[in-house]
Amino acid sequence: MTTTTTTGAGTAGIAPPPAHTPPSTHTPPPTDAGPHTGPADDERLRRWRLVLGADGAESTGRTLTGRDAAMDAALTALYGDGGRPGGRGRNSRSAGLGASAPSVARWLGDIRTYFPGSVVQVMQRDAIDRLGLAALLLEPEMLEAVEADVHLVGTLLSLNKAMPETTKETARAVVRKVVEDLEKRLASRTRATLTGALDRSARISRPRHHDIDWDRTVRANLKNYLPEHGTVVPERLIGYGRAARSVKKDVILCIDQSGSMAASVVYASVFGAVLASMRTLRTRLVVFDTAVVDLTDQLDDPVDVLFGTQLGGGTDINRALAYCQSRISRPADTVVVLISDLYEGGIRNEMLKRVAAMKASGVQFVTLLALSDEGAPAYDHEHAAALGALGAPAFACTPDLFPEVMAAAIEKRPLPVPDKEAHR
């Protein structure tokens, strides 16, 4: 049996086994290798016992009591018998959470007592995926018990249409808490980074000394190189300007709201609200599946934006880009950010033609396969390669990198693509 999550030190440092690994595949350290040498051996056997569940009692010689027994019960309820509710088997944990809201609420309280927040979030996601507990999130008392995170917000948004009125206010409170936490984390750095980029994008030809862009100045004056002196005579200076309030860039965020993009929708909505708060930017936010919805009017409140989305359904990227293209009035000053896994259900060739046309007109086009803290996403590699050939490399982006990506697009310099080889 292998573990899926590593936790902190102390009594919380136990990881549950995944469902796909039979419980019998792990063999604990032999207990007949001699007498225990001290607390370290005892702690090692304790951990093995918690990992193995009830089957580990005989092989480890450990009996759990008190807090350890309660932790074992919480793990067993979720990971017993491969996560199948009510499952029974001689060689597996067998408890399950059943369909009782009170028992699930108690379990949620237990795991918050025994495990750190990062592990609680993983266990909640596993409970929703493995035990089919999404429906229970439609009950207010359940929402009050869960640990709120981006993935929970995605689940709530997918349940939005089925959510009873008695639950909606609680759900909005949960979503708002996560959104406010994200804004605190991301807003200041995003505004600072993009303000600098907007300043530098306003180039002037007679800059003051501290505003000179030396890289561009040297390139512009290479014809004036004096080999005998080893220097360039800068006849023409290029500098950074200071963006006036009237100088604006247009940003269009075009977000795929298919079910696999839930975390990206959450982050993109937060960033959309941050960008919309900057006077030097004019921001438009568009979400799509097979239909296209413009949520720009709701950008002052990202919670309203999120509840205006409808996760799931098909994907028609071509239709979404056609709408975005129709809203472009200043191509040379426009950045279009497509956030999608590129599984196109529309007309592929038309989609690529639209991207090529926008780039030819001067639009800065950015393709993000995901905007989240997750690992490498699943995406259509053929479409990603086709966009890369058009000069619009497709890559996954973390929220921390997003301000740098936007700054590069605004300044029309190469994008900071992480791990270029993986995204060719």
Side-chain angles (χ1 to χ4, degrees), residues 331-388:
D333 292 318
T334 299
V335 178
V336 174
V337 182
L338 171 65
I339 304 174
S340 173
D341 54 17
L342 301 180
Y343 288 110
E344 170 66 316
I347 307 173
R348 175 184 185 272
N349 290 337
E350 288 299 313
M351 174 189 77
L352 296 175
K353 286 180 181 178
R354 291 191 190 282
V355 174
M358 282 189 272
K359 286 189 63 64
S361 69
V363 171
Q364 294 298 110
F365 195 93
V366 180
T367 309
L368 301 182
L369 302 170
L371 178 57
S372 70
D373 289 309
E374 303 300 310
Y379 64 96
D380 189 304
H381 290 256
E382 183 179 350
H383 289 166
L387 288 172

Side-chain angles (χ1 to χ4, degrees), residues 29 35-48 62:
H36 296 173
T37 59
D41 285 330
D42 189 61
E43 174 64 12
R44 185 161 62 102
L45 290 175
R46 167 187 167 272
R47 288 172 176 258
W48 274 110
R62 282 296 303 261

Side-chain angles (χ1 to χ4, degrees), residues 22-110:
S24 60
T25 57
H26 249 316
T27 302
T31 58
D32 58 354
H36 296 173
T37 59
D41 285 330
D42 189 61
E43 174 64 12
R44 185 161 62 102
L45 290 175
R46 167 187 167 272
R47 288 172 176 258
W48 274 110
R49 168 62 183 84
L50 282 164
V51 168
L52 292 173
D55 291 334
E58 182 178 349
S59 58
T60 62
R62 282 296 303 261
T63 300
L64 300 179
T65 60
R67 183 183 179 89
D68 285 348
M71 290 173 63
D72 186 57
L75 291 169
T76 296
L78 175 57
Y79 297 101
D81 196 33
R84 291 186 295 274
R88 293 292 183 268
R90 184 179 65 83
N91 293 320
S92 64
R93 299 180 177 198
S94 53
L97 300 177
S100 167
S103 68
V104 176
R106 284 194 299 272
W107 178 80
L108 288 168
D110 287 344

Side-chain angles (χ1 to χ4, degrees), residues 162-170:
M163 195 174 290
E165 290 300 323
T166 55
T167 305
K168 285 189 176 180
E169 285 306 311
T170 306

